[in-house]
Amino acid sequence: MDDCIFCKIARKEIGKLVYEDDTAAAFDDLNPRAPTHVLIIPKKHIEQLAALLPEDAALIGHIMEVANAIAAQKSIASSGYRVVVNNGRAAGQSVDHLHFHLIGGRALGWPPG
Ligand code: DGP
């Protein structure tokens, strides 16, 4: 998608990736909510979690593996971390390209607000 900010980041037109492979990319959140706050996205433009198709299942599983790998690389694997998707405006989704927040490096409250 030409106008999608996360597609532009995935294409390396703006920003800086901390991880990339054929199907996924990751970068630090602009407004970090914790010492580690990385966004992991499919390179394929998917608007939101609810728009997933059956054929995306392996891609999403792969992104979970990427989240674990980045958590290990950031040394938060043993202390604990959270992977969050906000689906829709009421849930807090502000960018319409599916993204998984990887958050850690501090104690996290529950339930989220
Ligand atoms: P959400 O509210 O779940 O849609 O999360 C969107 C996140 O994306 C939010 O935490 C801020 C971040 N964000 C928005 N625009 C940019 C950007 O241009 N660059 C980066 N690195 N992060 C962005």
Side-chain angles (χ1 to χ4, degrees):
M1 289 266 292
D2 286 353
D3 290 341
C4 171
I5 193 88
F6 284 2
C7 285
K8 287 181 181 173
I9 294 173
R11 291 195 298 263
K12 293 186 265 192
E13 293 171 13
I14 56 172
K16 178 173 169 276
L17 298 180
V18 299
Y19 174 87
E20 176 182 28
D21 61 33
D22 287 348
T23 60
F27 47 94
D28 289 327
D29 194 289
L30 194 61
N31 302 308
R33 306 292 182 167
T36 293
H37 189 168
V38 174
L39 300 176
I40 308 162
I41 64 169
K43 286 187 171 178
K44 169 185 173 184
H45 184 84
I46 300 171
E47 278 207 1
Q48 58 176 190
L49 192 70
L52 285 179
L53 300 172
E55 69 213 40
D56 297 320
L59 170 62
I60 302 310
H62 172 63
I63 286 176
M64 293 299 102
E65 292 182 323
V66 170
N68 284 341
I70 294 174
Q73 187 226 323
K74 298 274 187 184
S75 303
I76 58 169
S78 57
S79 58
Y81 53 96
R82 188 173 288 165
V83 179
V84 179
V85 178
N86 297 324
N87 185 85
R89 292 290 179 266
Q93 183 176 7
S94 60
V95 178
D96 292 330
H97 181 131
L98 176 61
H99 48 284
F100 296 79
H101 297 257
L102 168 63
I103 300 168
R106 65 169 172 81
L108 300 170
W110 190 263

